[in-house]
């Protein structure tokens, strides 16, 4: 398999890049990501382009938005052959091995003009998730362009886990949302060893990474301790961190010990109060991640007392 990220190229050259990759690689299946609604325009354009020029290629899609709108997407878009809802790993493996569609969990598919929806019965476990690498960039066409763009922003997104326990009212990745589009009822985390293995591979490409999966702070602290105890990883990466709740002193000290901090390349801590009004914020964020504006100011002062001018908030 190979990965093509069309957003790396000028819009007037997308067809040329797509043709070259398809002709060089000669895929039997092409997978399209439909993970957030913002990607729908590119999803439609790419699917229609491929099906018109390469009719024999099967097109499969997955992602939060795909799972939620499943059958409607197959009814509306004739270029789409199979849709995976929920965890895709085993369904995709069975699909590529040629298993009969009716025997593959988690898929919606078209047979002639009729659409069938199989039950979601496959949920990835920690062991399987931990045995997959999420940073082998040699599988990405023109990965240097991807890294260049990431380094201008928050860095490579380090994959920590899947699912959520929170119910922020705006989020398509909340606990309730996961039940709707993926039938997932609880999160699954990767092992520390697998995350650290990915970090060691990432050193070949970049030293700037990003974590925004803050639903279990003790898990993240444990990961930081593992990094501190590994001489090949301690102080090797700049970490930008998206915090879903306020940060305690123990977390900040571990963060400081595990990663690099330079005055001229300051990492970012993201805090998201969302709105000014405390009562409305409680409705939006729920009890797990709620904090008042006064508590936010106090937390910013704590961060500054530990890092001084070596961090952005």
């Amino acid at each position: 398999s190979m990965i093509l990220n069309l957003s790396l190229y000028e819009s007037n050259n997308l067809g040329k890049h797509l043709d070259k990759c398809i002709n060089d690689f000669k895929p039997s299946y092409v997978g399209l990501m439909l993970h957030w609604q913002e990607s729908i325009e590119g999803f439609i354009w790419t699917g229609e382009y491929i099906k018109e020029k390469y009719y024999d290629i099967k097109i499969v899609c997955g992602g939060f938005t795909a799972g939620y709108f499943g059958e409607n997407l197959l009814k509306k878009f004739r270029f789409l052959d199979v849709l995976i809802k929920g965890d895709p790993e085993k369904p995709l493996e069975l699909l590529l091995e040629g298993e009969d569609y009716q025997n593959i969990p988690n898929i919606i598919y078209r047979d002639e003009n009729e659409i069938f929806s199989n039950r979601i019965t496959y949920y990835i476990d920690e062991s399987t998730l931990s045995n997959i690498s999420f940073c082998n960039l040699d599988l990405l066409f023109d990965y240097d362009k991807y890294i260049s763009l990431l380094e201008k922003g928050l860095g490579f997104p380090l994959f920590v886990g899947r699912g959520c326990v929170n119910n922020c009212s705006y989020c398509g990745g909340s606990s309730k949302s996961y039940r709707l589009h993926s039938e997932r009822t609880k999160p699954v985390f990767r092992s520390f060893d697998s995350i650290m293995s990915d970090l060691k591979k990432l050193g070949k490409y970049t030293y700037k990474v990003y974590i925004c999966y803050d639903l279990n702070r003790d898990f993240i602290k444990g990961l930081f301790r593992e990094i501190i105890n590994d001489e090949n990883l301690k102080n090797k990466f700049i970490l930008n961190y998206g915090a879903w709740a306020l940060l305690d002193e123990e977390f900040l000290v571990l963060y400081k010990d595990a990663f690099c901090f330079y005055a001229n390349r300051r990492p970012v801590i993201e805090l998201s109060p969302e709105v000014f009004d405390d009562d409305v914020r409680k409705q939006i964020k729920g009890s797990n991640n709620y904090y008042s504006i006064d508590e936010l100011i106090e937390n910013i002062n704590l961060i500054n007392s530990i890092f001084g001018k070596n961090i952005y908030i």
Side-chain angles (χ1 to χ4, degrees):
S1 61
M2 287 291 289
I3 302 169
L4 174 64
N5 186 338
L6 284 173
S7 67
L8 300 178
Y9 309 100
E10 296 294 332
S11 58
N12 58 345
N13 285 325
L14 296 186
K16 182 181 73 174
H17 287 290
L18 195 49
D19 287 335
K20 184 179 188 311
C21 292
I22 287 176
N23 290 321
D24 286 351
F25 193 67
K26 296 180 173 53
S28 54
Y29 278 83
V30 169
L32 301 180
M33 180 190 71
L34 186 52
H35 191 61
W36 298 115
Q37 64 198 32
E38 292 90 336
S39 60
I40 187 71
E41 184 180 2
F43 165 79
I44 295 170
W45 181 88
T46 309
E48 290 179 343
Y49 185 94
I50 292 172
K51 209 62 166 184
E52 185 176 338
K53 295 191 71 174
Y54 310 95
Y55 184 78
D56 291 337
I57 292 177
K58 298 288 187 182
I59 296 180
V60 56
C61 80
F64 288 175
T65 305
Y68 186 78
F69 292 102
E71 292 187 25
N72 288 336
L73 291 168
L74 275 144
K75 290 175 182 175
K76 186 171 181 63
F77 300 117
R78 293 296 304 181
F79 65 77
L80 193 58
D81 295 294
V82 180
L83 182 147
I84 302 177
K85 44 186 181 171
D87 293 340
E89 284 79 7
K90 192 64 179 178
L92 188 59
E93 180 184 348
L94 292 170
L95 191 68
L96 298 179
E97 288 176 345
E99 181 63 63
D100 289 339
Y101 285 179
Q102 61 263 32
N103 298 329
I104 302 176
N106 300 34
I107 70 167
I108 306 173
Y109 62 95
R110 183 186 294 104
D111 188 358
E112 299 298 333
N113 289 317
E114 194 170 356
I115 292 170
F116 299 90
S117 182
N118 295 351
R119 291 180 56 224
I120 295 181
T121 57
Y122 171 75
Y123 304 92
I124 198 165
D125 56 31
E126 179 186 321
S127 175
T128 307
L129 200 66
S130 298
N131 278 299
I132 301 172
S133 173
F134 291 87
C135 70
N136 185 359
L137 287 174
D138 290 334
L139 298 177
L140 174 65
F141 289 105
D142 293 328
Y143 68 77
D144 54 325
K145 295 180 184 291
Y146 180 67
I147 288 296
S148 178
L149 282 173
L150 290 181
E151 290 192 340
K152 291 176 184 176
L154 290 168
F156 189 93
L158 192 62
F159 181 59
V160 176
R162 187 179 294 167
C164 195
V165 295
N166 300 311
N167 275 309
C168 301
S169 63
Y170 53 81
C171 186
S174 70
S175 178
K176 288 181 180 177
S177 298
Y178 257 103
R179 289 188 181 94
L180 286 172
H181 54 59
S182 303
E183 295 187 21
R184 172 168 287 283
T185 58
K186 61 182 180 180
V188 56
F189 291 90
R190 299 175 71 197
S191 68
F192 291 154
D193 285 346
S194 66
I195 299 170
M196 292 170 62
S197 175
D198 265 4
L199 279 171
K200 289 172 182 175
K201 292 173 186 173
L202 272 176
K204 172 182 173 183
Y205 308 105
T206 183
Y207 292 104
K208 190 174 184 181
V209 295
Y210 176 56
I211 292 178
C212 188
Y213 195 70
D214 191 42
L215 60 90
N216 186 327
R217 189 64 59 74
D218 288 338
F219 180 89
I220 298 296
K221 289 178 183 177
L223 177 62
F224 287 180
R225 291 188 187 96
E226 294 288 328
I227 291 170
I228 290 167
N229 291 328
D230 190 313
E231 61 182 19
N232 294 313
L233 291 178
K234 182 180 179 181
N235 304 136
K236 184 171 183 176
F237 288 91
I238 296 170
L239 172 68
N240 294 308
Y241 194 82
W244 298 2
L246 299 181
L247 300 167
D248 61 78
E249 186 171 357
E250 180 186 30
F251 173 94
L252 293 168
V253 171
L254 288 168
Y255 180 31
K256 188 175 184 180
D257 288 345
F259 299 98
C260 295
F261 296 85
Y262 304 109
N264 61 340
R265 295 182 67 191
R266 286 182 277 180
V268 173
I269 287 179
E270 296 177 318
L271 296 167
S272 302
E274 318 298 350
V275 293
F276 287 105
D277 186 271
D278 285 350
D279 291 334
V280 176
R281 186 179 316 104
K282 187 174 292 185
Q283 294 174 31
I284 292 173
K285 296 176 80 70
S287 57
N288 287 352
N289 297 318
Y290 168 75
Y291 47 83
S292 69
I293 287 292
D294 287 341
E295 289 170 325
L296 172 64
I297 293 169
E298 184 179 341
N299 202 233
I300 289 172
N301 289 332
L302 172 64
I303 295 169
N304 283 329
S305 71
I306 293 174
F307 292 100
K309 294 182 178 180
N310 288 325
I311 205 159
Y312 284 113
I313 303 172

